Amino acid sequence: MKKTILFILIAGLAVSNTKAQAPDPDTTARHFIIMASIGNLQEAGSGKLAAQKATRADVRSFGQMMVTDHSNTEQKLLQLARSTGYQLPVAATDTPPPDLNLSKASGDDFDRMYIHAMVSGHRSTVMMFNDYVITGKDPVVKAFAQQMLPMLKAHLAAIEALDEKYKALTAK
Amino acid sequence: MKDENKISRRRVVAGLGATIAAAAISPALAMTGRGDKTARDGTAISDPTKLYPKPPFKFQPQPWPGLQSKMDPVPDCGETSYKGSGRLIGRKALITGGDSGMGRAAAIAYAREGADVAINYYPTEEQDAQEVIALIRKEGRKGIAIPGDLRNEDFCKQLVHKALDRLGGLDIIVSNAGRQQAAESILDVSTEEFDAIMKTNIYAPFFIIREAVPHLPPGSAIIGTTSEQAYNPDGWLYAYGQTKAATMNYVKSLAKQLGPKGIRVNGVAPGPVWTALQVSGGTTPDKQQTFGDWTMFGRPGQPAELASIYVQLAAADASFATGQIYGSSGGVGMP
């Protein structure tokens, strides 16, 4: 009797287990969307700090641009995920708490650290989007990456210009 | 097949409420409990790609040095899974950074292998440390808590003498405590931060080992925690990376020096492991959220997965291993 019940339970679950092991969807596209979402939320979060705390007016306005652009991009990205059916974990879509190092910093230190973080951050973001445009498999996600690239490249150019303009600060 | 069966059984348990069916198969449930446990303590075959949580993780910054009990997910240091087999009976170990991460995993494993253990930690880590002390004492072993700041030479000396006194000697030193702070640029590394990293990661092992060596009997083991960063550092770990290269280096130098005295010196080089270092400024925010996704298992390691290496390097049957660096990094990096 006991054995029979256990057998039925195991048999039933073994079947549902097999179903759960359907071939993985394109994990590269999902990974790209997760990384892009985390990037957007981080950029918007740090941008908010910069809009409040940066000493230099143009660093503040770059921060504000990050808030606006990356919040918009995040909305488009979430819509893309919904329409393509990629399930995103909460950890990738929750608004993160502010970066501790930037929260602690003030004055010239804040501006310098923010510019450094944005230069390296946008370099890797542009690289990541470029990579997906070249190697990605999902055409819809690929089109999205292609569509976002000009804006990201403009961000990179803008922050590199600030890095150059304030090189006495950033290369102190 | 065996593995599938195990998963199915686990789901059976998860799916059961307080039903009559549950009562009817209770002997089977008891058996399932054991089966489940063996999956992680290494006695049953298990798939490393499915053992532990995968990124993305929540971005969860904590002020340095961070508490692992507040991490999500909480790192697995073998609290419920490590099973000893008497490999270190009667040994006396001092472990720095023994409150969390690999040090904690080593402390738990050592106690379960029969050793008495003193752990050092930073005073703000008391909460994590007390859990470890309780786990050590539960094994019937001595568990000694010695909080303090390793950047201070006098404290390092006191630490060794307190451990010697309270354990009645020392024959294993695990120099594991480390400070790691990420910075995008060398310009963002303050002199104070650089100093704190050097003091914790390079000076403290020097102070502690120099103080302890005259008291170590032949057969003793010194183990340093180094890192994959010793060999191919990330750009944002400029300060930390070089201290791990120094650790790898002192292991090899001291091994030559102390070998003739019968003291073995080895290092453990973890890859990305989910510890409090990673949420207290040790990595950049985006890397923290995707931590470990670049390994071949698509996840970070858990401290529990390295515990057996610390045991092996301390155990008497590793008698020919000295000046070695044992790595565990999910298929990325060196050694």
Side-chain angles (χ1 to χ4, degrees):
Chain A
M1 179 59 197
K2 285 174 194 169
K3 272 185 184 165
T4 316
I5 292 177
L6 188 61
F7 175 75
I8 292 167
L9 283 166
I10 288 177
L13 281 148
V15 171
S16 66
N17 206 31
T18 321
K19 271 183 201 156
Q21 282 171 350
D24 269 354
D26 183 1
T27 50
T28 324
R30 184 169 175 269
H31 187 249
F32 171 80
I33 295 175
I34 287 172
M35 293 294 287
S37 175
I38 290 171
N40 280 330
L41 296 168
Q42 301 280 5
E43 302 277 6
S46 308
K48 205 170 154 191
L49 285 177
Q52 291 160 3
K53 294 180 66 176
T55 309
R56 289 155 185 81
D58 43 7
V59 178
R60 275 202 304 277
S61 57
F62 180 85
Q64 189 52 54
M65 177 167 79
M66 290 302 101
V67 176
T68 314
D69 287 359
H70 283 284
S71 304
N72 285 340
T73 313
E74 180 65 7
Q75 289 317 310
K76 285 181 196 158
L77 187 74
L78 292 180
Q79 217 172 348
L80 173 80
R82 270 194 302 273
S83 66
T84 47
Y86 291 109
Q87 300 285 325
L88 303 186
V90 180
T93 55
D94 249 6
T95 303
D99 184 320
L100 267 190
N101 285 332
L102 286 176
S103 305
K104 275 189 297 190
S106 58
D108 278 356
D109 274 346
F110 180 91
D111 289 24
R112 190 183 68 220
M113 288 172 78
Y114 182 67
I115 293 172
H116 282 152
M118 286 301 106
V119 170
S120 61
H122 276 93
R123 271 185 197 143
S124 57
T125 307
V126 167
M127 204 187 294
M128 181 182 99
F129 274 68
N130 250 333
D131 283 351
Y132 198 84
V133 167
I134 296 165
T135 63
K137 286 180 211 149
D138 185 320
V140 185
V141 180
K142 216 165 155 164
F144 171 82
Q146 182 77 67
Q147 190 197 334
M148 290 300 135
L149 260 177
M151 179 193 79
L152 295 169
K153 283 180 178 163
H155 289 173
L156 177 59
I159 195 64
E160 279 178 341
L162 288 176
D163 190 38
E164 177 65 25
K165 179 175 174 189
Y166 296 122
K167 66 177 171 211
L169 170 79
T170 57
K172 189 170 66 180
Chain B
M1 185 57 212
K2 217 174 183 178
D3 198 41
E4 259 174 39
N5 199 18
K6 185 194 75 208
I7 291 167
S8 308
R9 282 184 185 177
R10 191 182 299 156
R11 292 201 182 172
V12 170
V13 177
L16 283 173
T19 61
I20 296 164
I25 59 160
S26 58
L29 267 181
M31 197 184 74
T32 310
R34 276 202 303 277
D36 205 19
K37 195 163 171 281
T38 53
R40 282 193 184 177
D41 67 14
T43 54
I45 188 163
S46 55
D47 179 350
T49 65
K50 300 199 170 88
L51 270 179
Y52 286 109
K54 294 188 172 184
F57 302 113
K58 215 173 85 190
F59 180 52
Q60 42 189 302
Q62 287 188 40
W64 182 89
L67 283 175
Q68 78 163 35
S69 45
K70 290 188 178 164
M71 290 171 70
D72 174 21
V74 173
D76 180 2
C77 294
E79 291 87 347
T80 59
S81 57
Y82 191 89
K83 239 163 56 184
S85 52
R87 298 189 69 197
L88 301 174
I89 284 177
R91 301 288 295 273
K92 300 166 199 306
L94 167 63
I95 303 175
T96 65
D99 59 300
S100 68
M102 267 96 63
R104 178 188 179 106
I108 293 167
Y110 281 10
R112 292 192 184 158
E113 297 290 358
D116 293 329
V117 185
I119 61 166
N120 154 262
Y121 49 95
Y122 196 68
T124 56
E125 300 169 308
E126 192 65 37
Q127 188 185 331
D128 282 354
Q130 284 311 321
E131 293 174 6
V132 179
I133 295 295
L135 285 165
I136 296 170
R137 292 185 180 156
K138 212 177 126 207
E139 299 304 314
R141 310 311 315 183
K142 277 188 204 166
I144 313 287
I146 314 177
D149 188 344
L150 292 176
R151 291 171 289 185
N152 181 306
E153 179 172 1
D154 288 338
F155 170 72
C156 289
K157 290 179 179 171
Q158 286 167 25
L159 170 64
V160 171
H161 289 286
K162 277 183 186 168
L164 282 166
D165 285 352
R166 297 193 200 162
L167 296 177
L170 269 179
D171 51 45
I172 302 171
I173 309 247
V174 180
S175 179
N176 164 75
R179 185 179 176 104
Q180 177 182 341
Q181 291 287 301
E184 299 284 355
S185 157
I186 187 172
L187 303 181
D188 298 331
V189 181
S190 69
T191 306
E192 294 72 26
E193 185 54 56
F194 189 80
D195 199 46
I197 292 175
M198 295 300 136
K199 284 271 163 60
T200 311
N201 299 2
I202 298 183
Y203 278 73
F206 164 60
F207 296 146
I208 291 168
I209 295 168
R210 185 180 60 179
E211 200 64 21
V213 159
H215 305 277
L216 297 179
S220 293
I222 297 173
I223 300 165
T225 298
T226 169
S227 171
E228 56 165 351
Q229 295 291 329
Y231 304 87
N232 187 14
D234 286 320
W236 59 89
L237 289 178
Y238 160 75
Y240 174 84
Q242 58 184 297
T243 68
K244 293 293 130 177
T247 304
M248 179 268 285
N249 195 278
Y250 88 61
V251 161
K252 291 180 181 288
S253 169
L254 281 182
K256 289 174 181 153
Q257 208 182 96
L258 300 178
K261 298 184 199 301
I263 299 172
R264 295 181 298 108
V265 188
N266 294 287
V268 179
V273 176
W274 186 242
T275 69
L277 280 186
Q278 312 306 340
V279 297
S280 58
T283 193
T284 56
D286 57 325
K287 282 282 180 309
Q288 188 251 280
Q289 286 196 263
T290 56
F291 198 63
D293 79 339
W294 57 88
T295 72
M296 297 310 119
F297 301 143
R299 63 168 178 89
Q302 293 290 330
E305 299 181 277
L306 283 82
S308 63
I309 303 176
Y310 286 88
V311 170
Q312 172 63 18
L313 288 174
D317 60 4
S319 45
F320 200 55
T322 194
Q324 315 296 323
I325 309 292
Y326 285 19
S328 183
S329 60
V332 294
M334 303 257 283

